[in-house]
Amino acid sequence: MTTHTPRDTAPAKSSPAPFSLVTTSLPAFTKKRSVGDLFRRPETGALFGTVLVFVFFAVFGGQQFVSSGGVASWLNIAAELAIIALPVALLMIAGEFDLSVGSVVASSSVVLAVVSGTWGLPMIVGVIAALALGVVTGLINGLMVSRTNVPSFIVTLAMQFALAGLTLGLARVLTGSTSIPIPADPFFKAIFGTLINGQFEVAIFWAIGIAVVIAWILQMTKYGNWIFAIGGDAVSARASGIPVAGTKIALFVSTGLGASLVGIIQTLLYNGAQTGTGQSFVFNSIIAVVVGGVLLTGGYGSVVGVMLGCLTFAIVNQGIYYTGWNSDWAALILGILLLAAVLMNNTFRKLALSSGVAKNRKAA
């Protein structure tokens, strides 16, 4: 019997049927889309959530929430979160987790402050050293996961604690403090740590640029198909000739780079480093990714959805202060959003798969 590839995906060369079915979660945009197709997109639930929370806090937060200062407050948080959440989303689409990003933010921040602040080396040396730390951390995580088959949850959780302890210990030995100042270099300050119009972080542009690059990788290159295929069925992907281990290692490196970039941004923005900074990114990034439509089981998600998930998280996180309510309610709202997002993601995933099966049967 002839195997038919779903109309929404381009046929993969010399790929078995399982690989084609895995990539049905990445629909092409060359066909006319219906309303039903829109509801099967991974970012649909995230869009509903973003609009809902924005309207909610615009009503109860008043004029200050939608003022330039209010918008900047949640856009800045969303931007820093997106820089980490986007590569974390790629990793989760491939079926893995990275819980070490919080310690990478802190350690890269401390490295930059020590190298270019305490030791007085050129700022470019400190930036490269901070980025190198993120790459090495991601490389170690990727190699450990691919070589030992220990779940990435355990490997990266161990790295999170180990790197946090190492950062704290070395900071005390090298500087005698957990807070390390660094003089602001005008050039690097402008690139990484300046405020546009005194309100909007330059990190917003970094987040947009990273989102464009990742969207291009997912939609326009074979590597995007590899990521979805690995998350959908790693065994079938490996049988199709996809370098599963190498791809996962590269994705772990990308999460390390994203986290180290945020560490650099925060260090130059605040002219100093704290050994305990960045820990909130560990679960905040996962919350944003899941709210953005990425399945915890992998194989499904989109860049647009992740960006919307970051916006939703930031709006809730900051919007609660404009209402005058107790900030404890923000955690409750985020918890409800997370649960609702998981339920909606599963529903939309089933719709997408049922659509692909129906199209296959119709074509047959």
Side-chain angles (χ1 to χ4, degrees):
M1 181 178 68
T2 304
T3 301
H4 294 271
T5 304
R7 187 173 56 185
D8 285 346
T9 55
K13 295 181 180 180
S14 303
S15 298
F19 176 75
S20 297
L21 292 176
V22 168
T23 58
T24 56
S25 58
L26 184 64
F29 295 93
T30 57
K31 300 292 184 180
K32 185 177 180 180
R33 315 304 297 177
S34 67
V35 176
D37 291 329
L38 175 64
F39 279 92
R40 297 182 185 99
R41 292 290 303 164
E43 63 269 13
T44 302
L47 178 60
F48 288 158
T50 303
V51 172
L52 179 63
V53 298
F54 178 82
V55 171
F56 178 85
F57 286 108
V59 171
F60 290 96
Q63 185 63 34
Q64 285 189 328
F65 175 76
V66 295
S67 66
S68 60
V71 172
S73 70
W74 45 267
L75 271 185
N76 292 339
I77 289 179
E80 291 187 6
L81 181 59
I83 293 173
I84 294 178
L86 285 166
V88 166
L90 290 183
L91 190 62
M92 288 178 62
I93 290 173
E96 302 291 351
F97 290 90
D98 190 349
L99 302 182
S100 66
V101 292
S103 289
V104 174
V105 171
S107 59
S108 59
S109 178
V110 168
V111 166
L112 173 57
V114 169
V115 171
S116 298
T118 305
W119 294 346
L121 295 177
M123 187 69 69
I124 183 64
V125 177
V127 169
I128 292 175
L131 293 174
L133 184 141
V135 171
V136 171
T137 303
L139 187 62
I140 293 174
N141 284 336
L143 288 172
M144 288 289 291
V145 171
S146 60
R147 298 290 176 83
T148 65
N149 290 323
V150 175
S152 56
F153 184 94
I154 301 299
V155 171
T156 57
L157 183 62
M159 178 64 76
Q160 164 76 2
F161 285 109
L163 192 57
L166 181 63
T167 300
L168 178 60
L170 288 180
R172 289 188 182 277
V173 170
L174 297 175
T175 68
S177 174
T178 59
S179 179
I180 310 166
I182 181 173
D185 182 284
F187 176 75
F188 288 94
K189 178 93 171 168
I191 295 176
F192 296 106
T194 192
L195 291 174
I196 301 170
N197 197 31
Q199 294 177 321
F200 298 91
E201 291 184 21
V202 72
I204 295 172
F205 295 101
W206 280 100
I208 294 173
I210 292 171
V212 170
V213 171
I214 291 180
W216 176 77
I217 291 173
L218 280 181
Q219 296 287 346
M220 305 300 293
T221 72
K222 64 181 180 181
Y223 305 108
N225 285 333
W226 289 1
I227 293 169
F228 280 100
I230 292 171
D233 189 339
V235 175
S236 295
R238 187 177 290 106
S240 301
I242 295 174
V244 174
T247 302
K248 287 187 177 182
I249 290 173
L251 293 177
F252 276 109
V253 169
S254 72
T255 60
L257 270 174
S260 61
L261 177 57
V262 170
I264 293 170
I265 289 172
Q266 291 190 343
T267 303
L268 295 179
L269 181 64
Y270 302 115
N271 299 322
Q274 298 283 344
T275 57
T277 189
Q279 299 305 318
S280 62
F281 285 105
V282 176
F283 290 107
N284 290 353
S285 61
I286 295 177
I287 291 173
V289 168
V290 173
V291 171
V294 176
L295 287 182
L296 291 171
T297 52
Y300 189 73
S302 73
V303 171
V304 173
V306 174
M307 294 296 283
L308 290 171
C310 292
L311 281 174
T312 301
F313 177 90
I315 290 172
V316 173
N317 187 273
Q318 290 298 297
I320 197 72
Y321 296 104
Y322 292 95
T323 63
W325 302 343
N326 192 313
S327 60
D328 293 342
W329 292 109
L332 172 63
I333 296 173
L334 284 173
I336 294 173
L337 278 174
L338 181 60
L339 180 59
V342 172
L343 296 176
M344 285 192 298
N345 290 348
N346 288 333
T347 301
F348 292 143
R349 171 64 168 170
K350 291 176 181 178
L351 285 173
L353 289 177
S354 63
S355 174
V357 172
K359 289 178 180 178
N360 276 342
R361 290 175 179 174
K362 184 176 179 180

